[in-house]
Amino acid sequence: MSFKVVESKSGVWYISLGGLFIILLLLSGWFGWKQGGARTVELSHQLTIVSGLHDELKLQVATLQQQLLEIERREKIALVSVKQSSEDMLALQEQTKQLEKELSFYRSIMAPELGQSGLTIDSLKVIPESGGRYYFELVLTQTKKQDWYLKGSFNLSLLGKQHDKAVTLPMKSLIMEENWKPEFSFRYFQKIEGRFQLPENVTIASVSVTASTKKGKQRVEKNFPWSL
């Protein structure tokens, strides 16, 4: 018959083991809390850095937007300036053409060797208005070579068709102004203006202009195409 010796552990041992376990748990929790606090501090520091970067980026974006607005404003000013310069250039070119035309006109008067001498039909301009009315401007000239006053009469006739038949319409029968007389009196040049009304169903092809001084010493004739 054999006997086994069984070692029995006292309650103190179990209490000590439980206490050790609790201490280990507390130490583990403390280390975890310390690490978590350090992590929190690190994250807080990183958040501060990110926040600072965010504010800096916002400032840079605002600056870039302001620069973009300034560039757009300058671009608009430049476009307006270019447009204005183009308009000024066109106006200057038109003014130059007009001055050249006027210079040529006065040269033809003051320098007879450059053009025709004596009484001259310089130009005829016809401009349409409303209601079938037209404005005309006839310019007669005389060169410097003959600088005395010229007096006489002129006639304008509209040549065209009405109902497929050739017609000649004297201006004096179409003129709208009262007491209008086809007469001229000038030394160097004269601009003669008037308004007339065309009858219906008339197609004009050209305008014939004749002018003659009193006693018929000088007589000129010129035909102008009907180009409005």
Side-chain angles (χ1 to χ4, degrees):
M1 183 175 189
S2 62
F3 296 94
K4 289 184 179 180
V5 180
V6 178
E7 184 181 356
S8 62
K9 296 181 181 179
S10 65
V12 176
W13 184 87
Y14 288 106
I15 293 173
S16 299
L17 182 61
L20 180 60
F21 180 73
I22 292 172
I23 292 172
L24 291 174
L25 286 176
L26 291 174
L27 288 174
S28 177
W30 182 78
F31 280 113
W33 175 81
K34 289 290 288 184
Q35 290 179 354
R39 182 62 177 168
T40 301
V41 171
E42 183 181 356
L43 290 176
S44 177
H45 180 65
Q46 293 179 355
L47 180 61
T48 302
I49 295 175
V50 170
S51 179
L53 291 174
H54 178 262
D55 293 339
E56 184 178 351
L57 288 175
K58 284 178 62 177
L59 181 61
Q60 291 180 359
V61 169
T63 302
L64 291 174
Q65 288 177 341
Q66 185 64 32
Q67 292 177 354
L68 180 60
L69 290 175
E70 180 65 19
I71 292 173
E72 291 177 348
R73 186 184 69 84
R74 291 182 180 179
E75 183 180 5
K76 289 180 180 179
I77 294 175
L79 290 175
V80 171
S81 178
V82 170
K83 182 180 179 181
Q84 185 63 44
S85 298
S86 299
E87 292 176 353
D88 292 343
M89 182 65 70
L90 291 175
L92 183 60
Q93 291 176 351
E94 187 63 28
Q95 184 179 4
T96 302
K97 289 181 182 179
Q98 184 63 29
L99 290 175
E100 290 176 349
K101 184 178 180 181
E102 292 179 2
L103 179 61
S104 176
F105 172 73
Y106 287 110
R107 278 178 177 173
S108 67
I109 297 174
M110 305 307 294
E113 67 276 6
L114 298 179
Q116 185 176 353
S117 61
L119 176 64
T120 304
I121 300 171
D122 181 79
S123 63
L124 174 67
K125 180 167 57 177
V126 180
I127 301 174
E129 296 181 341
S130 60
R133 294 188 297 270
Y134 294 84
Y135 163 84
F136 76 90
E137 178 185 287
L138 173 66
V139 178
L140 303 177
T141 65
Q142 179 187 211
T143 63
K144 179 66 175 177
K145 188 176 182 179
Q146 297 175 324
D147 59 355
W148 55 77
Y149 274 90
L150 289 180
K151 294 185 179 182
S153 61
F154 64 92
N155 180 58
L156 284 79
S157 297
L158 306 182
L159 311 178
K161 288 185 177 182
Q162 185 175 27
H163 302 298
D164 295 329
K165 293 183 180 180
V167 292
T168 300
L169 304 174
M171 181 63 70
K172 59 184 178 181
S173 65
L174 306 174
I175 206 73
M176 299 176 65
E177 286 86 352
E178 295 182 1
N179 302 321
W180 183 82
K181 295 180 180 180
E183 299 175 351
F184 61 84
S185 177
F186 65 93
R187 186 174 182 181
Y188 297 118
F189 70 94
Q190 183 174 352
K191 182 189 295 184
I192 302 163
E193 301 172 299
R195 283 178 171 79
F196 63 93
Q197 177 104 33
L198 275 181
E200 296 181 356
N201 301 317
V202 173
T203 302
I204 304 301
S206 61
V207 183
S208 176
V209 183
T210 58
S212 60
T213 59
K214 289 184 176 181
K215 299 181 181 179
K217 290 184 179 181
Q218 296 187 53
R219 186 179 186 279
V220 290
E221 183 176 353
K222 195 171 183 179
N223 197 65
F224 294 90
W226 181 263
S227 57
L228 304 179

